[in-house]
Amino acid sequence: MAVIKWIDLVGVSESSWRDAAQQALAEAAKTIRNIESMDVLETSAVIRDNRIAEYRTHVRIHFRIER
């Protein structure tokens, strides 16, 4: 029997929402093993001087619990 756990993270990037998602995954992979999938839940941005200054991507990372 498998048990899947998930965590929600928000990745941040100065270049794109895709890169922000990749940043979240890369950070999670430093301490979590058995990552199986990732859902993109939401995207947002920080605006400064009428321009996008920061892209944010809210992701849910799924991983299998080891026994």
Side-chain angles (χ1 to χ4, degrees):
M1 180 175 82
V3 175
I4 306 295
K5 183 174 180 171
W6 75 75
I7 60 168
D8 283 14
L9 300 171
V10 176
V12 178
S13 171
E14 293 181 354
S15 60
S16 69
W17 284 293
R18 182 179 182 169
D19 185 54
Q22 183 61 50
Q23 295 297 328
L25 177 59
E27 192 63 28
K30 290 178 183 178
T31 58
I32 298 172
R33 293 184 301 275
N34 303 320
I35 295 174
E36 294 188 351
S37 63
M38 179 173 74
D39 299 325
V40 174
L41 303 176
E42 181 179 34
T43 57
S44 60
V46 173
I47 307 299
R48 290 191 194 104
D49 298 323
N50 296 320
R51 299 191 63 151
I52 296 175
E54 194 174 84
Y55 296 86
R56 295 181 179 177
T57 303
H58 178 190
V59 299
R60 179 168 289 152
I61 295 176
H62 306 249
F63 55 98
R64 192 172 297 262
I65 299 294
E66 292 181 353
R67 299 221 172 196

